[in-house]
Amino acid sequence: MHLTAAHWVYAAFVLIVIVTMSMRRDALIPCIAGAFILGWIITGSPLGAIETVFKSSVIATRELLDIILVISIIVGLATGLEAIGAEQLMVAPARKLMKSPQVAFWVIGMVMLIASYFLWPSPATALVGAVLVPAAASVRLPPISTAVAMNIFGHGIALSTDYVIQGAPNISAKAANLPVESVMLSGIPLIITMSAVTVTASFLVARRDIARAEAGERAQETTPKDADDSAVAIERPGEGADASLAVPAEPETLARVAAFVVPVAYLLIVVALIAFRIRGGEATAIIGGVTLLLLSVFTLINNGADGFDLITEHLIKGFSFGMKIFTPVIFIASFFYLGSPDIAQQVFGNGARGLLFDLAGALSNVLPLNRISVGLMETIIGGVVGLVGSGFSGLPLTGSLAGAFASVSGLKAGTIAALGQIATVWVGGGCIIPWGVVPVAAICRVSPQELAVKNFVPVLLGLAATTLVAIIFM
C-alpha cells in the first residue's frame, strides 16, 4: 500500500492531537491546522485548503446535528421543570429508601443513573444534589462517598452507554461508519463488566469510609460533622436545615402532574423503541419530539400567554449548554472524519481515500493487529484523549480508529468502538480527571482531587477487566 504525503501529514496531526489532549489542552487548533494542510496537499491550492477547513466543519456539524438538538432540548426541558418545581418531586420518593449509609450509596447511584439517562449527567447532578445529598448526609453517608456514587453511576455508566439519548454511541458509530445499534449492542458485555467491577470496588471503598466515619476515625473533611455542614451548605436561600430534607409542604398541582407525566412519557418511549425496534436517527427524533412537546405544554400551562416567550428562554439555556459541550467535538470531529472514505469523498469529491484506514493497513504490516494489540491500543488511546476532561471530544478519534483497525484486521468494529468509547468517557467524562469532576465535587462539598483519587483505582480496575473482555469478544 502506497502512502502519500497526505497520509503522513494526517498521521502526524493525529499524534499532535493526542499529545495536546494529554497536556490537558483543547485540540481545536491542531485539528483546524491539520484540515488546512491536508486540504492544501489534496487540492493543491490554498483556496482549496481554506474551503476544506469550513466544509469539513459543516459536514461534521451535519453529522452531529440531531444529537446536539436533542440534548439541547432535553436540557431546556430540565430548566422548564425546575421553574415549575417538578424536578425535586421526581426524585423525592427515593429519599424514603435511605435507611442507612450503605443503602443511601446505592439509592443515590441508581437515581443518578436513571436521571442521567433521561436528562444527561450535568442536569442530573444539580437535581440529585439538591434533593438527595442532604438526605444522604442525614443518614451519615460521607460526602466523598456520595460524590463517588454520583460520579460512577452518572458520568461513568450512564454517559459511557447513553442508551436513551444515544449521543456517545452516535458519535462513535458515525466515525467508525457503523449503525449506532452495532456499537450499542457490542458494548453490552463491556459495560456490564465495567459497571460490575467499578461499582463493586467503589462500594467496598465507601464501606470502609462509612466504617471510619461511624467510628470517628475519619479526617475532618469526612467526619459526620462535615457531612452535616455539607447538607447546610447546599440549602437554598430562605430554607432551614429541616426544610432542605423535605419536599415543599404544598407543591403546586402542575408540579405533581409534571413529575408524574414526564417520567411516564419517557418510560413509554423506551418501551415503544424496544417494541417497534426503532433505532438510530428515528429513535433520536422521537425522543426529541416528545421532549419538545412536553416543554411546550407545561410551559404554556404554567405561564399562560407568557409561555410563548419563556419557552424561548428555556431553549436558549438548553442550546447554550449543548453548544458548550459540542463546540470542541464538532471541530475535532471535522478533522478525524477526513480519515473516513465516506466523509473524505464529501469534502474532496469521488476518489478521495480514507487516510486513517490506509494508515491502519500500513500499521498492520509493521505491528500485527491482533485482538490483544488492538484492544490495548484502543483503551490506551481512549484514556489519553480523555485526559482533556471531555468525555466526547475523543470519540471521533476512537471511533475512526475502530473502523480503521477492523477494516484491516477482520475484528469487530462495534466492539472496538465501544471499548474506545468506554475508555474515553470514563476517563474524560467526569470520573478520574480532577477538572472533570468539579460539578459533583462542588455540590457534595468535597475536593475534586480527593474525588478523583477515590475513583482512580476502581475505574482503572474496570478498564483492565473491560479490555480483557473486549479482546475475547473481538
Side-chain angles (χ1 to χ4, degrees):
M1 179 182 299
H2 176 65
L3 297 181
T4 65
H7 289 92
W8 292 112
V9 168
Y10 188 87
F13 274 96
V14 168
L15 294 176
I16 291 172
V17 169
I18 293 175
V19 172
T20 302
M21 288 183 165
S22 69
M23 296 174 65
R24 305 192 301 272
R25 299 287 185 179
D26 285 340
L28 273 67
I29 290 179
C31 288
I32 294 170
F36 178 81
I37 296 175
L38 277 177
W40 196 329
I41 292 174
I42 294 174
T43 65
S45 163
L47 292 179
I50 295 172
E51 184 178 353
T52 298
V53 171
F54 184 73
K55 284 182 66 176
S56 62
S57 301
V58 170
I59 291 171
T61 303
R62 186 172 65 214
E63 293 290 322
L64 300 172
L65 183 59
D66 55 348
I67 200 62
I68 296 174
L69 285 173
V70 74
I71 288 175
S72 300
I73 293 170
I74 286 174
V75 175
L77 174 63
T79 62
L81 294 176
E82 182 180 5
I84 296 172
E87 271 196 327
Q88 295 184 31
L89 292 175
M90 289 168 63
V91 297
R95 292 178 302 175
K96 299 178 181 178
L97 301 175
M98 295 187 183
K99 304 299 183 183
S100 69
Q102 291 83 1
V103 173
F105 178 92
W106 290 100
V107 171
I108 282 184
M110 294 306 299
V111 173
M112 185 69 183
L113 177 69
I114 295 171
S116 297
Y117 269 133
F118 293 102
L119 297 176
W120 242 42
S122 295
T125 296
L127 172 62
V128 174
V131 180
L132 296 187
V133 169
S138 71
V139 295
R140 296 298 188 266
L141 179 65
I144 189 64
S145 300
T146 302
V148 168
M150 293 175 67
N151 256 167
I152 296 299
F153 283 89
H155 294 85
I157 300 174
L159 190 59
S160 66
T161 52
D162 202 7
Y163 287 140
V164 178
I165 302 174
Q166 299 180 9
N170 256 301
I171 297 174
S172 296
K174 289 180 187 297
N177 289 319
L178 294 172
V180 65
E181 56 266 25
S182 174
V183 176
M184 293 170 64
L185 293 175
S186 299
I188 290 176
L190 308 187
I191 196 59
I192 289 175
T193 303
M194 185 72 190
S195 302
V197 172
T198 307
V199 171
T200 300
S202 298
F203 181 64
L204 292 176
V205 174
R207 283 185 59 186
R208 182 192 64 190
D209 290 342
I210 291 169
R212 288 178 178 177
E214 291 174 343
E217 297 175 354
R218 290 179 55 85
Q220 183 178 357
E221 67 273 13
T222 52
T223 59
K225 180 179 183 299
D226 283 340
D228 290 338
D229 291 342
S230 70
V232 175
I234 65 171
E235 291 171 8
R236 292 171 294 280
E239 294 183 346
D242 293 336
S244 69
L245 300 175
V247 178
E250 296 182 0
E252 295 291 336
T253 301
L254 181 60
R256 292 182 179 276
V257 172
F260 174 78
V261 169
V262 171
V264 170
Y266 280 121
L267 179 61
L268 292 176
I269 291 174
V270 173
V271 172
L273 296 182
I274 295 174
F276 296 103
R277 297 183 179 180
I278 301 173
R279 299 289 187 272
E282 292 183 359
T284 301
I286 291 175
I287 294 171
V290 170
T291 303
L292 195 54
L293 290 173
L294 288 172
L295 174 60
S296 301
V297 169
F298 285 117
T299 301
L300 284 173
I301 294 175
N302 188 50
N303 301 284
D306 292 338
F308 287 94
D309 297 324
L310 289 176
I311 189 174
T312 303
E313 294 183 11
H314 296 322
L315 288 173
I316 287 174
K317 291 180 180 178
F319 275 81
S320 297
F321 174 84
M323 291 310 300
K324 179 180 179 180
I325 295 295
F326 277 94
T327 293
V329 176
I330 288 172
F331 291 100
I332 292 172
S334 69
F335 171 71
F336 286 104
Y337 283 0
L338 292 176
S340 165
D342 291 343
I343 302 298
Q345 289 177 15
Q346 295 181 48
V347 177
F348 300 117
N350 294 333
R353 299 171 63 176
L355 301 177
L356 190 58
F357 285 58
D358 292 347
L359 287 168
L363 181 62
S364 66
N365 296 325
V366 179
L367 175 67
L369 294 183
N370 52 42
R371 296 169 183 263
I372 296 175
S373 63
V374 169
L376 291 176
M377 282 193 291
E378 187 76 2
T379 299
I380 292 171
I381 292 174
V384 168
V385 298
L387 292 175
V388 73
S390 169
F392 278 22
S393 62
L395 296 182
L397 170 57
T398 57
S400 298
L401 286 174
F405 287 151
S407 69
V408 297
S409 65
L411 300 175
K412 296 179 181 178
T415 301
I416 304 172
L419 175 61
Q421 176 178 302
I422 289 171
T424 304
V425 173
W426 277 82
V427 172
C431 284
I432 64 174
I433 299 301
W435 51 94
V437 303
V438 170
V440 171
I443 206 161
C444 294
R445 297 299 190 267
V446 298
S447 163
Q449 288 76 16
E450 182 186 7
L451 177 54
V453 169
K454 288 287 185 182
N455 290 338
F456 183 77
V457 172
V459 172
L460 203 62
L461 291 173
L463 287 175
T466 304
T467 302
L468 178 61
V469 171
I471 290 171
I472 295 172
F473 277 87
M474 284 182 195

